[in-house]
Amino acid sequence: MPKQPKRRLTRCSDTEMENSTGYIRQKFLEFFEKKGHRVVESDLLVPRNDPTLLFTGAGMNQFKEQFMGKNITYTRAASCQKCFRTGDLENVGKTPRHHTFFEMLGNFSFGDYFKEEAILWAWEFMTKEMRLDEDKLWVSVYKDDDEAYRIWADRVQLPPGRIVKMGEHDNFWPADAPSKGPNGPCGPCSEIFYDQGPDSGCGREECTPACGCNRFLEVWNLVFTQFERKPDGTLDPLPKKNIDTGMGLERMAAVMQKVRTNFDIDIFRPINEDVEKYMASPGKGGRKKEEDVHLIADHIRAITFAICDGVSPSNEKQGYVVRKLIRRAYLRSDRSGPFLYKIVPTVVRVMKDAYPELSEKREHISAIVEEEEKRFNETLDAATPILEDMLRARPEELSGEQIFKLVDTYGLPVDVIEQESDVSLDMQGFERLMEKRREQSRKGSYITEEFIFKPEKFKGVEKPESSDELPLETEVKFILLEEKAVKSVGEGERAEIVADPQSARFYPEGGGQVGDTGRIEKEGCDIKVLDTFEAEGMKVLVVFVKKGSLEKGDRVRLYLDTDKKQMTAINHTATHLLQAALRKVLGDQVKQSGSAVDEKRLRFDFTHMKKLSEREIEKVEELVNGWIQDGIQVSKETKQIKEAHAEGALSFFGEKYDDTVRVVTVGEHSKELCGGTHVDNTSEIGIFKIISESSVASGIRRIEAVTGDNAERWLKEELENFIREYRKAADGDAGLDKDIEKKAEGIASGRIKIDRDVIKLYEEEIKPAFTRAIERLEKAAKKKQKKKQAEAFDEAKDRADKLLTERVELPEGDLVCGVIPDVDMQVLRRVTAYLEKQTRSGIVLLGSAKGDKAFLICAVTQDMADKGYNAKDVVTAISGHISGGGGGKAVFAQAGGKDPEGLEKAVEEGKNIIKGT
């Protein structure tokens, strides 16, 4: 076994005792490091470069490529992986073991050792390192795995009575794979159980781990990946067999510390104590106090780690899960105000030795949680009255549509609806509507939460040679059309191809940067390269055949769109400068949490709690443009990742880095790990302009910016819009300094060359002048319109007073109706309100027309509505006469139409309907 590079292990602090969680974590990693394993740091909770997973749910997730035989730089690994699962969310707090966030210890082999070593080392660790009583340990094996059974019986010498054979559902990975699939790598499992004693379970003398009671606690699962399931259901032996194990740290700590639940271990007790301070009225709805405390403690741990790893509350994907956890935990308190954020420091304190990054981000995490709690509290304040209105009508049941509206429109959780409602709920109807919404969401998502190996589209394609030449003479080796390998692709079709040799100068999409584009030259054809991405270590070109065809075996010439590549490189370097400027202006707490770079603009998401002020944006722009003007050389060097980090290089969120990395440095201002394309000197960027700053999630801000020619185009378009808006508002009146207008026209037309000084002139003089002029003109126009409407109302009021003298007496009040000529809907509403006030108790029905548009309004005083008169019914019944439609409520309704000639008839019919009510 080759010697593995040493890695510093996280040591227990002086305050940690033997059998503490930190001690177990440390002993496990040290044990397997001595067995020749590379100790690998935990992956982020959002897997790097794996869109098939919502969260990292197992220790093996980050070793996907190694399990598939790729990127093998070491053949043995051990880790303590941060995991996040939501599949059993409803059980959290109710059971002793379920968690949202947990730590998974694991040791892995990629075609190296197999069952015997895995089993013997597991037994050694449990009995020698953890010193567990051998008599309390049981194991299970797959019923047909005689090899594993013999190792346990003969090598470990475990009594046969403590080796339990189980079926494919319990002891095969994936579960039920032999009979149900999926196809792909799979294998039997062997689990280790700790006997908690007869008093912990069903009490039967013959009880074994096969029983579903709580007596036998599964603490370690050993997966032997040795087969590939074929489409016909056969299990073919893999040429290289793998080991994948997982031991829940919290479960092992509960065993070692001799406590009854995971929530009683050392790293949970301080959190539980903090939670109880805020549980003024816990245990609602028949729940026990302990259940609420455990749920909140679990959720705030998960929330803290997720936000630390860059996930902020939102309505999409991972952010939606974090938002849901915050709301679930908040609802278990007395809801007197935000409190979860106060527990974050305690979570950090008990976990910081293993995860020091928590300390660095503690205040940021607390601030995001507090803001989300405040927002949710506002949601409850706004939405609860809507629910109360629904219940005030004393229905026998809240319909599925009503529940869906409360949840989907107002954000009120089902928990609150159930808690506050004293009527039955149509949950089936609600679920049907929710499923429709989920289906809509699924159409735009490819995320699954279970890790399953899937056949790669380009698996088996021979890896091409690489060439620096451009244009490149190359041969089409593979064509994929609509997920199927084909021999040719025709006119009007889009396909993915692999060519040999491939161009080293075509950049595949990654790190937030778009893939390169270009064209393929073939006689008589017009073929565009729309994108480049990487798969199976190859560059794949996305092509569109505009004219002609492309066939496997074609010899073609490949061209790169160098202009787009250069503009993209400009924006990528500008993104690095932007991050450096933000950290200088706002502080080092600014961390990148997402980016998108193409040839048109750049987008940068970063952690910050407040909207940037105009002055802060100006400072950022000044810094970036200053660095551009300084003409700083941009260096790109290959270094060891430890060396790069030691030099202070920043890494982009969500990127996965190998031991050897590329470091992009811009003078003393920026140093980042990045594989993207960049300019050689900052002067190539030209101009940098921030065009928007906004919030995308709690604690996450977004800046969009343009550079170079795109900044010039943006400024011209902005000025064209200002000039157009001004002239429309001015309507011949003066309102802008002529010199300012002349400068704006000169820039927009291109007569004045755009540079930094011109942009400064725009920001400081032209934009404010146009804004003030337009606001002044619009204010004058509104005043003029208001005056015209007042005059129109005065004229209409004379006709309204005449209608009052012609009012119709009803048994319960008066009816005033008629047509007011030549007024718009706004004036007609004022007239209606005037007449309603005059009648005090009655009904007003009016019609009017302005040009070719007709209007109807009916208003019913509340006392008349209580007696059965309904404005909406009247308007609905008569709106057909004006070829229109409308709506409203019992006390007020209106309609618009395109047939003014039907107004008299409509009002007359409405009058008859009201009299007959």
Side-chain angles (χ1 to χ4, degrees), residues 190 246 281-283 315 327-328 354 401 413 417 429 602 647 671 857:
S190 183
S281 53
N315 288 327
R327 293 181 171 190
R328 277 170 58 88
E401 288 82 1
I417 299 171
L602 64 95
E647 293 175 356
K671 186 185 290 286
I857 288 182

Side-chain angles (χ1 to χ4, degrees), residues 474-620:
T474 186
E475 180 181 339
V476 178
K477 287 287 189 180
F478 182 80
I479 303 176
L480 194 75
L481 178 65
E482 295 179 352
E483 306 294 316
K484 294 180 182 179
V486 297
K487 292 184 178 180
S488 65
V489 56
E491 196 167 295
E493 291 183 316
R494 177 186 175 118
E496 297 165 352
I497 72 164
V498 175
D500 190 0
Q502 62 183 15
S503 171
R505 292 169 62 186
F506 264 70
Y507 178 81
E509 180 180 0
Q513 180 177 325
V514 296
D516 280 340
T517 61
R519 63 185 177 88
I520 289 175
E521 185 181 86
K522 179 186 174 184
E523 189 175 350
C525 300
D526 185 358
I527 303 167
K528 308 292 184 187
V529 178
L530 305 178
D531 194 9
T532 306
F533 66 90
E534 194 167 56
E536 300 289 321
M538 300 177 292
K539 290 180 182 178
V540 180
L541 305 179
V542 181
V543 302
F544 177 72
V545 182
K546 192 172 182 181
K547 178 183 176 184
S549 65
L550 192 63
E551 297 183 7
K552 185 176 179 180
D554 276 349
R555 299 291 302 181
V556 297
R557 189 181 289 249
L558 178 64
Y559 289 84
L560 173 68
D561 185 341
T562 54
D563 289 341
K564 178 189 172 185
K565 188 180 185 75
Q566 174 64 8
M567 286 303 300
T568 304
I570 285 171
N571 283 336
H572 204 152
T573 305
T575 305
H576 286 214
L577 296 180
L578 171 60
Q579 177 165 225
L582 286 167
R583 288 168 67 85
K584 197 171 184 68
V585 173
L586 304 177
D588 288 345
Q589 79 280 358
V590 168
K591 305 290 183 186
Q592 188 257 4
S593 62
S595 67
V597 178
D598 59 25
E599 76 280 13
K600 296 178 181 177
R601 65 177 60 191
L602 64 95
R603 189 189 76 209
F604 185 74
D605 297 344
F606 59 99
T607 56
H608 192 59
M609 291 306 301
K610 298 187 299 182
K611 176 181 174 65
L612 271 66
S613 68
E614 288 187 12
R615 182 59 190 140
E616 285 171 333
I617 292 174
E618 286 174 9
K619 285 181 179 179
V620 169

Side-chain angles (χ1 to χ4, degrees), residues 440-458:
Q440 291 171 350
S441 299
R442 277 195 291 268
K443 287 178 181 177
S445 173
Y446 44 79
I447 288 177
T448 62
E449 203 158 335
E450 296 302 320
F451 178 84
I452 296 175
F453 289 118
K454 296 182 178 180
E456 299 290 340
K457 294 186 290 186
F458 299 92

Side-chain angles (χ1 to χ4, degrees), residues 660-697:
T660 303
V661 295
R662 185 165 174 264
V663 182
V664 177
T665 306
V666 186
E668 299 177 351
H669 309 298
S670 172
K671 186 185 290 286
E672 297 188 18
L673 308 186
C674 183
T677 59
H678 291 272
V679 299
D680 295 323
N681 190 288
T682 58
S683 61
E684 297 174 49
I685 299 172
I687 303 170
F688 173 85
K689 181 75 187 80
I690 293 174
I691 59 175
S692 72
E693 190 274 343
S694 60
S695 171
V696 290

Side-chain angles (χ1 to χ4, degrees), residues 609-874:
M609 291 306 301
K610 298 187 299 182
K611 176 181 174 65
L612 271 66
S613 68
E614 288 187 12
R615 182 59 190 140
E616 285 171 333
I617 292 174
E618 286 174 9
K619 285 181 179 179
V620 169
E621 285 185 340
E622 285 172 6
L623 280 172
V624 174
N625 280 310
W627 296 333
I628 291 169
Q629 193 172 34
D630 290 342
I632 305 167
Q633 287 298 119
V634 180
S635 71
K636 305 104 177 177
E637 301 174 282
T638 300
K639 297 187 178 184
Q640 291 295 308
I641 191 166
K642 290 182 180 178
E643 180 188 358
H645 280 149
E647 293 175 356
L650 301 178
S651 53
F652 272 12
F653 169 78
E655 275 294 288
K656 187 168 185 175
Y657 300 99
D658 296 326
D659 289 340
T660 303
V661 295
R662 185 165 174 264
V663 182
V664 177
T665 306
V666 186
E668 299 177 351
H669 309 298
S670 172
K671 186 185 290 286
E672 297 188 18
L673 308 186
C674 183
T677 59
H678 291 272
V679 299
D680 295 323
N681 190 288
T682 58
S683 61
E684 297 174 49
I685 299 172
I687 303 170
F688 173 85
K689 181 75 187 80
I690 293 174
I691 59 175
S692 72
E693 190 274 343
S694 60
S695 171
V696 290
S698 296
I700 303 293
R701 307 297 299 180
R702 170 173 292 173
I703 280 179
E704 291 190 60
V706 286
T707 62
D709 293 342
N710 289 315
E712 294 183 22
R713 277 190 288 271
W714 172 83
L715 182 57
K716 287 177 181 178
E717 289 173 3
E718 285 286 295
L719 286 169
E720 286 170 0
N721 290 335
F722 265 128
I723 293 168
R724 190 183 307 113
E725 192 177 346
Y726 163 69
R727 287 176 178 166
K728 181 180 176 182
D731 194 25
D733 296 332
L736 181 70
D737 181 273
K738 286 298 178 185
D739 184 51
I740 290 289
E741 187 175 4
K742 186 177 178 181
K743 287 177 180 177
E745 288 174 346
I747 297 169
S749 66
R751 292 195 304 272
I752 297 176
K753 181 176 172 55
I754 297 175
D755 55 20
R756 287 180 61 198
D757 291 336
V758 168
I759 288 185
K760 192 172 183 180
L761 174 68
Y762 164 75
E763 291 287 356
E764 294 180 357
E765 293 185 38
I766 298 176
K767 181 180 177 180
F770 267 100
T771 302
R772 287 192 300 269
I774 291 169
E775 286 176 351
R776 186 167 59 249
L777 290 166
E778 288 178 344
K779 189 174 181 180
K782 285 179 182 178
K783 188 175 181 181
K784 189 175 181 181
Q785 177 66 16
K786 193 173 181 181
K787 184 179 178 182
K788 284 176 67 176
Q789 287 185 341
E791 292 171 352
F793 172 72
D794 288 340
E795 291 179 14
K797 187 169 170 288
D798 293 338
R799 170 62 177 155
D801 288 336
K802 187 172 187 300
L803 292 178
L804 274 173
T805 64
E806 300 169 354
R807 72 181 74 188
V808 178
E809 291 187 8
L810 301 172
E812 296 84 1
D814 296 329
L815 167 62
V816 180
C817 60
V819 175
I820 305 289
D822 196 32
V823 297
D824 59 22
M825 180 65 91
Q826 193 167 355
V827 174
L828 193 63
R829 287 197 196 100
R830 288 187 63 188
V831 174
T832 303
Y834 167 74
L835 290 173
E836 191 177 16
K837 190 174 181 180
Q838 301 301 312
T839 59
R840 295 186 179 273
S841 179
I843 301 170
V844 177
L845 174 62
L846 298 179
S848 186
K850 191 76 172 175
D852 59 354
K853 294 180 180 178
F855 315 107
L856 287 168
I857 288 182
C858 182
V860 178
T861 57
Q862 187 62 57
D863 62 317
M864 296 288 280
D866 292 340
K867 294 169 183 174
Y869 293 95
N870 190 299
K872 182 181 177 182
D873 290 346
V874 174

